[in-house]
Amino acid sequence: GLRKLKVVDIGGGKGLLSNLLAETFGDDTVEVQVVDISKSATKNGMMTALRRGLQNIQYSAQDATTLDLDGVDVVVALHACGALSDVALGHAVCHGAGFVICPCCFRSNPHLRVSIPADDSPQLVTPEEWLSVEPSMYGQLKQVAEIQGDINMASKAMHTICGLRAMAVDRLWHNSRCRGAELDTTIKAFPIGFSTRNLCL
């Protein structure tokens, strides 16, 4: 038979996205793992999943930087604050997994490190190293992305950061476990009425 699809939600908190994925695709199709640094958020998510009778979802409170994601098929991250978006993308690249990442709060979590493919095991680098961008220029770009009074300027900066992330994925994908697999990284926008941080990779 076919094996279940393994989905990991990085920074998934209370599991608003993951509980929906687990419920929609069902026990026979998908196993979902939610990882978040907050013990209270993951506990709340687990309680919600139990109330809804979901058997195909697990929650763990841990640092997403050093996860062992062997066998992951898809990495998702909704409202992935700052460098958490890069962490999620790095895991997807290292494991040759598909991904859907919705970044936000571009200046958050600068201390996080990103896994990139290396010969023996993934190597941890700064977000600037992952993106191949000069730190002071990147800092300014993140600051512009957070401008509240000029949505056009902020949108251009957000799109530029997403473009840098897409280029990093494309550059490093060929060193991942799925060297022969094709990759099509695109940036999509959803209606701004849902969020002003309305881009997905």
Side-chain angles (χ1 to χ4, degrees), residues 76-171:
V76 298
L78 179 63
H79 194 20
C81 294
L84 190 60
S85 294
D86 302 301
V87 169
L89 288 166
H91 282 306
V93 169
C94 285
H95 296 281
F99 56 88
V100 178
I101 311 298
C102 296
C104 71
C105 310
F106 291 88
R107 293 169 55 192
S108 297
N109 298 315
H111 63 283
L112 294 177
R113 296 298 175 256
V114 182
S115 294
I116 62 168
D119 292 332
D120 297 332
S121 62
Q123 174 186 355
L124 292 176
V125 299
T126 67
E128 293 82 6
E129 291 169 321
W130 149 258
L131 297 172
S132 294
V133 66
E134 200 273 320
S136 65
M137 188 280 294
Y138 188 51
Q140 292 170 2
L141 187 59
K142 292 187 294 183
Q143 196 164 0
V144 173
E146 293 295 333
I147 289 175
Q148 297 298 313
D150 188 343
I151 192 66
N152 286 333
M153 182 66 74
S155 292
K156 288 176 185 176
M158 289 186 290
H159 202 280
T160 300
I161 292 170
C162 287
L164 289 169
R165 289 173 170 155
M167 287 171 28
V169 168
D170 291 346
R171 184 178 68 252

Side-chain angles (χ1 to χ4, degrees), residues 33-113:
Q33 178 185 0
V34 180
V35 177
D36 196 282
I37 198 78
S38 170
K39 287 182 182 180
S40 62
T42 56
K43 183 178 178 183
N44 287 338
M46 187 171 48
M47 297 306 291
T48 301
L50 288 172
R51 278 194 303 275
R52 290 165 73 173
L54 301 175
Q55 302 294 314
N56 57 337
I57 189 165
Q58 296 176 346
Y59 284 82
S60 58
Q62 61 181 336
D63 181 351
T65 303
T66 56
L67 290 175
D68 178 12
L69 296 184
D70 219 22
V72 65
D73 297 299
V74 180
V75 175
V76 298
L78 179 63
H79 194 20
C81 294
L84 190 60
S85 294
D86 302 301
V87 169
L89 288 166
H91 282 306
V93 169
C94 285
H95 296 281
F99 56 88
V100 178
I101 311 298
C102 296
C104 71
C105 310
F106 291 88
R107 293 169 55 192
S108 297
N109 298 315
H111 63 283
L112 294 177
R113 296 298 175 256

